[in-house]
Amino acid sequence: MNATKRIVVKEEVWAALSSMREPGMTYSELIEEMIEHEKKRRLVEDIKRIQETEELVEIPL
């Protein structure tokens, strides 16, 4: 199902989002791109934290 939802944002947020959109890009596409970017950022952050705090062992292949 492809339902449309509406969200309320402040005027400043709308302006910031508008400035980030590329020509022809929908707000949905922009938000999807931002979500993917955040997921990758969190993954990298988690990997760094694990490398710094955990004792890793090599797995022989």
Side-chain angles (χ1 to χ4, degrees):
M1 183 188 330
N2 199 5
T4 300
K5 302 290 182 184
R6 297 184 185 273
I7 58 173
V8 178
V9 296
K10 295 178 183 177
E11 190 68 33
E12 303 85 40
V13 173
W14 181 261
L17 284 171
S18 294
S19 72
M20 296 176 71
R21 270 190 336 154
E22 295 181 17
M25 179 183 262
T26 66
Y27 284 98
S28 185
E29 291 167 338
L30 173 61
I31 293 170
E32 285 177 38
E33 189 176 281
M34 293 170 76
I35 290 168
E36 285 304 310
H37 178 77
E38 179 62 15
K39 285 179 180 178
K40 289 175 185 176
R41 187 197 67 76
R42 288 181 184 188
L43 177 60
V44 169
E45 186 178 280
D46 288 345
I47 291 170
K48 286 180 181 178
R49 181 186 47 76
I50 290 168
Q51 287 176 332
E52 293 171 358
T53 61
E54 302 295 325
E55 183 177 329
L56 305 176
V57 295
E58 186 174 338
I59 300 174
L61 299 176

